Amino acid sequence: NLADLSLDMGEPAAALGYFSQAERSFALVRGGQISSLRCWRGQAHALCRLARPEQASTKLSAALSLAR
């Protein structure tokens, strides 16, 4: 939730940090695919706002592969 709030407040760097932290936590604790997809989507969103489209594309490609 902090990651989404950071995006809404125009703080993409903070959002990226929160999404990355959540990704690591979910991988260690829950390992759920839905959680990973949400984190990767959020990271891609934040990366786009930080003018890092190549990295955003990589995250989205990973999410798409997992979803398929």
Side-chain angles (χ1 to χ4, degrees), residues 1 3-4 15 18 20 23 27 29 31 33-34 39 49 53 56 59 61:
N1 291 336
D4 287 324
Y18 286 127
S20 296
E23 178 185 10
V29 177
Q33 292 180 338
I34 298 299
C39 290
R49 290 197 180 177
K59 286 291 180 182
S61 292

Side-chain angles (χ1 to χ4, degrees), residues 32-47:
Q33 292 180 338
I34 298 299
S35 298
S36 293
L37 289 173
R38 184 174 184 278
C39 290
W40 291 344
R41 188 248 349 130
Q43 289 172 3
H45 190 168
L47 288 164

